[in-house]
Structure formats: C-alpha cells, structure tokens
Amino acid sequence: MDKKKVFSGIQPTGEVHIGNYLGAIKNWISLQDSYDCVFSIVDYHAITVEYDPSVLESRILNVAATNIAAGLDPNKVILFVQSMVPEHTELTWFLTCLTSIGALERMTQFKEKASRQKGNIFAGLMNYPILQAADIVLYKAEFVPVGEDQLQHLELAREIVRRFNSTFGKEVFPEPKSLLTSGARVMALNDPTSKMSKSLPGSYISLTEDPDSIRKKIMRAVTDPGPQGSEMGPGIKNLFTLLEGFASSEVVTKFKNDYAAGNLRYKDLKETLAEAIIDGLTPIRERKEEILSKPEDLKEILNEGGRKARAQAVETLKEVRDIMGFNFPKA
Ligand code: TRP
C-alpha cells in the first residue's frame, strides 16, 4: 500500500501558541498515519528577516520538542531541520532560474514583510517562495497541509512545477495540492479581527503558558462589541473555535445550544474554556520539558530525520541535474 507523500514546513519561531497548535500542529499529527509525511523545521526561511544567530538552535529544538510533545511521532514521520539537507538550496537555485520576478513581487506576504522591513529589503525575502517550492518538490510531495495564508505560495509552487516539467519535457514533479483539512483559524484574544500572532502581545496563549496566566487571558478576551444580528460576533466565534479545539463535543454542543437559546453567559463559557485549555496543555508542557531536558536525544531524532530526508533529496537532485544538463560528476 503506497501512501501519498506530504510535505510541510514550520518556522522555528520563538514561541508556539495555541493558534499554531490548532491550526497546524494538530493537523500534521492527524496526517501521520495515513500519509507518508516529511516535516521540516525551516531554518533557511527563518533568516529572510532579521534574526539572532545565537538563538536559532534553541528555537529549532523548541519547535521540534513542541511538536513531538503534542503528539508528532518521529517513528512515523520524517522530522528534520531544513539546513541539514543542503539540496534545498541547490534546488532553489535551479528553480530561481525558472521563476518570474513579477510573480514574486505580487506575493502578499512579501509585500507585507517588505513594508515592515526598516532597512534594506534583501533578495532572500523576495525569493522565499522559491525556497518553499524547492522544499516541496525535493520530496516530490503531492500534498501540502498549509493555512490559507500560504495558498498563494503554494499556487506559485504549482506554477514553477508546470514551468519545470514543460521546459524539460518530462513530468519530473507532481503539482502539489493543498490539504486544507480542518485546521482552525484562531484569532487574537484581544482583537478577534486579526489572526493570533506572537508579534501581537496579549493576543496569544503559548503552549507552555501556566494555568493562572491562561485563566487571566481567557477571562480578558474581547467578546462582542454589541449586537451583531444573527451572526456570531468575531470574539465569541473565536472562543467557540477554541472550545472546539480543546473541549469535548458534548461541552461544545451545550454552549452552542445556550447561545442559540439566547442564554449563554460569557463568564461560564470562558471559565469552561480556560479549564479545557489548561487540561489540554498541561501534558504537552510536561512532555516538552522532559524532551528538552535531554537535548542530545532530541538532536539524534533530528539527525536521523535529516539522514532519511537527505537520502530522498539526493535522488531528486540527481534527476534534476541530469535533466537540466549538469553532467559533471561531483568530486
Ligand atoms: N512558509 C511557510 C509558513 O510560513 C513555511 C514553509 C516553508 C512551508 N516551506 C514550506 C510550508 C513548504 C509548506 C510547504 O508557514
């Protein structure tokens, strides 16, 4: 039985929050039995904006530990660090020569990040989506679980694949499709019209947040600016999204019924939600601490993933070099 290949990348950002957990990590975990998954911590992407080299390693270990603590099983998936497989950058160059500058300049994320950049805008920021395309096609992935904000990058990857295959006259790469499975879109607690983000203070609950702080943030979460007709307001909708992520379906149904009947008390909802989040996060926090207390074991897990990923990447690169006319053997 051949499982379909899935690739996804996660940025080694400092803190992982419950939005990342419900939107991405849980999604990855749900795929690990039915797909052949390759998951990468994308450190080459992380350097396209200003960063601090002295914390890169600890951030990578932190993200790896978080995912494993949340249930990602390195025996089922390949989990590795992008820079362990230099073929990512080699393939990026080949694809760079097939990507139009206009398409890169149209990327929403590039425009946003460029406008926030105070100094120079470097080519790495613009070429970010090419590196992302290389990530995916290096493993000939057919499916890519991503949030909506990455769909434009995925569409560009598809375009690059089509150009590659037609330029060289062979279906070397499959066109990757998005897997937009149930990933929840969690909004900022203090502003439910923007996405939860670690760059918005007060907006998020980290996966390792302590119980008291979780209670405070949920009790303080913005609910509704006023009557919204029959539509649920964005704040209350966000609380329900979180409830669905952390509480049992019976609890969710009870509160939905209360809401429909017009007798939902926000305080009750918030108290129940806070406890559900605490119950959900406590084991993750504990497992993560344990994993991080043995960094050598964690590094060995990543090394093993890197070896497996690289074995596949080397094969793809051989094929690419060959079809693109690069026939000089490596020393
Ligand atoms: N750009 C993605 C993000 O910020 C991360 C990423 C890098 C990725 N390479 C990828 C996602 C390949 C999917 C496939 O979320």
Side-chain angles (χ1 to χ4, degrees), residues 7-11 42 45 128 132 135-136 144 146 150 153:
F7 183 94
S8 197
I10 187 165
Q11 291 258 12
V42 292
H45 281 96
Y128 177 116
Q132 183 163 348
D135 292 345
I136 298 165
V144 181
V146 282
Q150 293 298 313
H153 287 166

Side-chain angles (χ1 to χ4, degrees), residues 175-225:
E175 263 185 55
K177 296 186 217 31
S178 65
L179 261 188
L180 273 178
T181 38
S182 66
R185 188 170 156 83
V186 179
M187 309 305 283
L189 294 171
N190 54 358
D191 171 13
T193 57
S194 335
K195 213 173 137 180
M196 181 174 281
S197 159
K198 74 167 189 32
S199 51
L200 296 174
S203 83
Y204 67 91
I205 289 175
S206 127
L207 274 202
T208 48
E209 194 120 3
D210 64 78
D212 273 344
S213 170
I214 293 175
R215 286 190 194 100
K216 279 199 195 102
K217 285 191 181 165
I218 291 295
M219 295 318 282
R220 247 190 257 138
V222 170
T223 43
D224 276 328

